[in-house]
């Protein structure tokens, strides 16, 4: 993935540049760390997703017998329930929701999508990680994601 495309997905030029210099292992670690952080932000225990997280980190889509198709299907089903294609959701969860259940479905759908993107081995690791981070930003909202990105040490690469 070229730098302009990467930057347009992430919205963070420094992170985009740093990611292009990371090893595949570093990219997978970034995906896993970001998903774990976002699950915590959504008040979901990351241990519930230990198998897919391990599979991403180990670069083994079959680790722990992860059923990626079922995870993707569940994410798609939850997307339909919360009308994810509604333009007002383009930058994260809705500000005012009618119920905590709606918010949880929205965040869970995005986190499942982030897991599936991070575990996608049909494309380069850089691309998978970029789309994983995009879904993470959706789950927690752009302002929260922006704060998280500032905590990363992108100057190391």
């Amino acid at each position: 993935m070229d730098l302009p495309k990467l930057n347009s997905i992430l919205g963070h030029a420094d992170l985009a540049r740093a990611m292009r210099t990371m090893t595949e292992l570093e990219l997978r670690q970034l995906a896993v760390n970001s998903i774990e952080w976002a699950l915590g932000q959504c008040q979901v225990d990351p241990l519930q997703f230990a198998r897919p997280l391990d599979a991403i980190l180990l670069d083994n889509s079959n680790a722990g017998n992860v059923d990626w198709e079922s995870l993707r299907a569940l994410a798609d089903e939850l997307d339909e329930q919360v009308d994810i294609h509604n333009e007002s959701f383009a930058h994260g969860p809705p500000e005012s929701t009618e119920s905590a259940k709606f918010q949880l479905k929205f965040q869970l759908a995005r986190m499942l999508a982030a897991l599936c993107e991070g575990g996608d081995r049909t494309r380069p690791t850089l691309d998978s990680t970029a789309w994983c981070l995009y879904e993470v930003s959706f789950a927690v909202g752009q302002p929260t994601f922006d704060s998280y990105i500032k905590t990363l040490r992108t100057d190391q690469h």
Side-chain angles (χ1 to χ4, degrees):
M1 182 178 298
D2 65 16
L3 188 59
K5 174 76 173 175
L6 189 59
N7 189 32
S8 72
I9 292 169
L10 298 171
H12 293 273
D14 290 342
L15 178 60
R17 278 190 298 277
M19 285 176 63
R20 289 191 40 91
T21 65
M22 290 180 180
T23 65
E24 288 194 10
L25 178 59
E26 289 170 325
L27 288 166
R28 291 191 311 271
Q29 186 68 61
L30 175 61
V32 168
N33 290 347
S34 299
I35 292 168
E36 288 176 339
W37 168 81
L39 286 167
Q41 294 294 305
C42 298
Q43 299 180 355
V44 175
D45 183 0
L47 290 177
Q48 294 181 39
F49 297 98
R51 283 186 180 171
L53 288 168
D54 285 348
I56 293 168
L57 188 59
L58 298 172
D59 193 26
N60 180 356
S61 60
N62 294 322
N65 298 319
V66 176
D67 185 352
W68 295 105
E69 288 182 25
S70 292
L71 285 176
R72 177 61 76 181
L74 181 57
D76 291 345
E77 180 181 323
L78 290 170
D79 280 346
E80 290 301 316
Q81 290 178 25
V82 298
D83 190 19
I84 193 66
H85 302 292
N86 183 327
E87 188 61 33
S88 66
F89 298 166
H91 300 289
E95 291 297 320
S96 60
T97 60
E98 279 142 53
S99 70
K101 186 177 180 181
F102 178 90
Q103 183 77 8
L104 181 61
K105 280 184 184 180
F106 180 90
Q107 291 175 322
L108 185 57
R110 302 295 22 99
M111 294 312 307
L112 290 171
L115 283 165
C116 292
E117 295 296 347
D120 185 353
R121 293 296 163 248
T122 63
R123 57 183 167 202
T125 303
L126 176 63
D127 297 13
S128 295
T129 302
W131 287 111
C132 171
L133 294 179
Y134 174 80
E135 294 294 350
V136 164
S137 72
F138 241 117
V140 299
Q142 196 63 48
T144 303
F145 183 70
D146 291 346
S147 296
Y148 169 70
I149 294 303
K150 290 176 185 172
T151 68
L152 299 176
R153 296 205 33 152
T154 57
D155 59 340
Q156 293 178 353
H157 297 281

